[in-house]
Amino acid sequence: MNFSDRLKRCRQIKKEENPNWTQDYIARQIGVARTTYTAYERGTKIPTLDTVNKIADLFDVSTDYLLGRSDISDHQVDKSNEFDSIKEVNKLMDQYGIEDAAFFDLEKWKSMSPEQIRELESYFQYLVKKSKELEEKENK
């Protein structure tokens, strides 16, 4: 399998999990035009090394896999016991269709309605409760 085939396969796998993983979405994530990304998948254009790195990070695969130097796609294989919280948060953002970190934009929080604040407070209470339960369980 060549670069373009692996690239297309990676996108198809992600798209099965979340329909937002279109060529346009990926192009925006890696900072290229959709037509440029399409050319990568068709094999009519080769990305720069910087772009290959961005693509590998986005798809959570190694550059060796994308370039056909390895058939092992997951670059975390040798770090399987390490927990990467940022990676997990990014997966959740992908899963729930949060396309950018605007969720964490304090200006947007300032414009929340009282009802939204109450919902947020309820969720925070839930998180604190679960955190305490987990801490108590770990201390036993």
Side-chain angles (χ1 to χ4, degrees):
M1 215 183 319
N2 61 30
F3 176 81
S4 60
D5 293 332
R6 288 175 187 245
L7 185 60
K8 188 171 186 174
R9 183 171 186 269
C10 285
R11 183 176 62 82
Q12 289 171 336
I13 290 169
K14 290 288 191 180
K15 194 168 184 178
E16 287 174 8
E17 296 171 7
N18 182 336
N20 291 338
W21 283 78
T22 62
Q23 288 181 338
D24 183 58
Y25 172 78
I26 295 164
R28 283 184 279 124
Q29 298 302 308
I30 63 174
V32 300
R34 187 203 48 80
T35 54
T36 301
Y37 177 78
T38 300
Y40 298 159
E41 278 195 9
R42 289 186 179 158
T44 57
K45 197 173 224 178
I46 303 296
T48 65
L49 291 178
D50 184 51
T51 302
V52 171
N53 282 327
K54 289 178 184 178
I55 292 168
D57 288 344
L58 182 65
F59 286 125
D60 195 27
V61 297
S62 69
T63 55
D64 279 352
Y65 172 77
L66 286 176
L67 298 172
R69 295 174 46 98
S70 170
D71 288 331
I72 300 171
S73 63
D74 188 353
H75 72 272
Q76 294 291 328
V77 169
D78 59 331
K79 299 178 181 178
S80 60
N81 291 332
E82 289 184 28
F83 178 76
D84 184 344
S85 60
I86 299 298
K87 179 180 167 184
E88 295 303 317
V89 168
N90 283 331
K91 281 183 184 178
L92 289 172
M93 289 175 69
D94 289 340
Q95 181 179 345
Y96 292 101
I98 302 170
E99 293 190 14
D100 58 36
F103 175 78
F104 302 104
D105 183 352
L106 291 179
E107 291 305 313
K108 292 189 181 214
W109 288 63
K110 290 179 183 178
S111 66
M112 291 177 73
S113 71
E115 180 181 328
Q116 289 171 316
I117 296 293
R118 285 190 298 276
E119 289 176 16
L120 187 62
E121 179 183 17
S122 174
Y123 184 65
F124 283 169
Q125 288 172 348
Y126 169 79
L127 290 176
V128 168
K129 177 183 172 193
K130 287 296 180 183
S131 177
K132 287 179 181 177
E133 288 173 2
L134 183 59
E135 187 176 314
E136 288 173 2
K137 184 177 178 182
E138 289 175 351
N139 289 334
K140 286 184 179 182

